[in-house]
Amino acid sequence: MDLEISPEPSWRSSESIANPSDTLLPTSADDTSTPKYIPAPEARSVLTRLYISHTLSAWNSRMFEFGAVLFLASIFPGTLLYASIYALVRAFSAVALSSWLGAQVDRSDRLVAVRHSIVWQRVPVAVSCLCFVATLSVNSWVLKIVLFAVQGLLACIEKLAATANTVAVERDWAIVISDSINVPRQDLNASMRRIDLICKLLAPVFISLIDSISTRYAMWTVFTLNTASVLVEYMAIAQVYQSVPALTKTQTPASTTETDDINSESSQNDNTSHKTADSSPDSSLAPWREYIASPVFLASFALSLLYLTVLSFGATMVTYLLHTGFSSLQVSYMRIGSVAAELSGTWTAPMIMNRIGPIRSGLWFLNWQFVCVAGAAVAFVAWDSSERFVAGTLIAGVALSRIGLWGFDLSVQFLVQENIQEHARARFSATEMALQNVFEMLSFASTIAFPLPAQFRYPVLISFGAVAVAAVCFAAYVRKERGHLLHRSRCMGGDKLLYREIVSEEV
């Protein structure tokens, strides 16, 4: 079962240079060819409701994800074993079942799929909070373990529902909505990513402040916010669906419109392959084969590799920074600075993509990340990792690299949206997210293998190696798409001379 390739998008023409003067900016020809986005009258109300739904989904997900770690630390003090098992089981469920879940989303009506994802996010979180409260009150060790097992199962359900919501809204709804209300897709992608990052910063801080007062209060806060927001989120996404008629089409392979006999025949063959894959014993591997065979595999794989990292202000790096002598307040300021850099990446990416296209923007953003991470890796190799100078180099390198990370993420997301057919979007994106979870679990394994702060250089070098391999993979993708990595005329200054000639002729 092969993924179909969508018709070559309009920005592709900007990636290939038939005439060097076509790429020069600014010229009157370029100005006239640049698409002018005039939003539809209903754009503001549609986007407002979409952002409300997405904010509630991201906030509750981030709050519960961080809160669960705090709750387990209070229930099982003095050990990280249970929190680690909880996180690994949750991530493994996404690895094992995301591809299957994406296929279910592809076959379902859009509104039904998203509504189910909302309900199956909120119900497990609410029940988990009740289990956490009950665990605080019981004294039986056996009962605590039983409740912990139930919480692990509920966490898996919540993780899968969150995955379904992400692939449905961010990878499918965003395309249809941007086309229907005539807003730039890269701007819509960036806005939704910005919401994710803001929630990623503020939701843990919010629940941590309440947990510092009382863990029980924090549990009831998560429960209350989740149950109170489900109706608002449910209704907001339904109003978006009703306001955009293009969303009403059921997202199935049979719904794709065929305009000629050749496409009709290929569609029948594709449907036959769907049935064959579903009936075969190894049908679970079919999404992975499709993923590898897709035209944007190398780009997606490069993005997934970046999840094999300890170079973020997560638990591992924070532990190292505290070990080197930084206070928790200083680390908090560093985290805020890192998120500010990430947010700047979401503003920078749409502008650069508009100017040079998503392929070249992805190349430059990823190279920027590689250079920043390389500086931190060199410091760890050349000097003692316990020195404050090395830690400072790591902080600067990681913070600056986040600009490249999220710029590259948005560039690849745009490429995936453009190159994957409608009936396979969720399946492809869910498989991609499963791969990202695999690399994230490998990053956990690297810190398990090298648990001491003095050994932190080894996870850092592994993370740097992952970025280097990602850069090679994406460079191969760029060469495959464009036939080259750099324009020689631009590197030698030829374009600048030609640009001056054109300007002088116009004058």
Side-chain angles (χ1 to χ4, degrees), residues 72 76 82 85-86 143-153:
L72 289 172
F76 302 102
Y82 296 96
I85 293 174
Y86 184 89
L143 187 55
K144 280 189 176 184
I145 297 301
V146 171
L147 288 172
F148 173 74
V150 173
Q151 291 158 2
L153 177 61

Side-chain angles (χ1 to χ4, degrees), residues 28 32 48 80 104 133 143 153 159 175 214 221 260-261 267 278-279 293 325 356 384-385 395 419 423 425 486 497:
S28 58
T32 56
T48 299
L80 294 176
Q104 302 307 309
V133 172
L143 187 55
L153 177 61
K159 176 69 173 179
I175 299 174
S214 169
T221 298
D260 52 49
D261 294 339
S267 177
D278 290 340
S279 59
I356 64 176
D384 184 0
S385 60
I395 294 165
N419 287 276
H423 72 260
R425 286 172 188 161
L486 297 173
L497 295 175

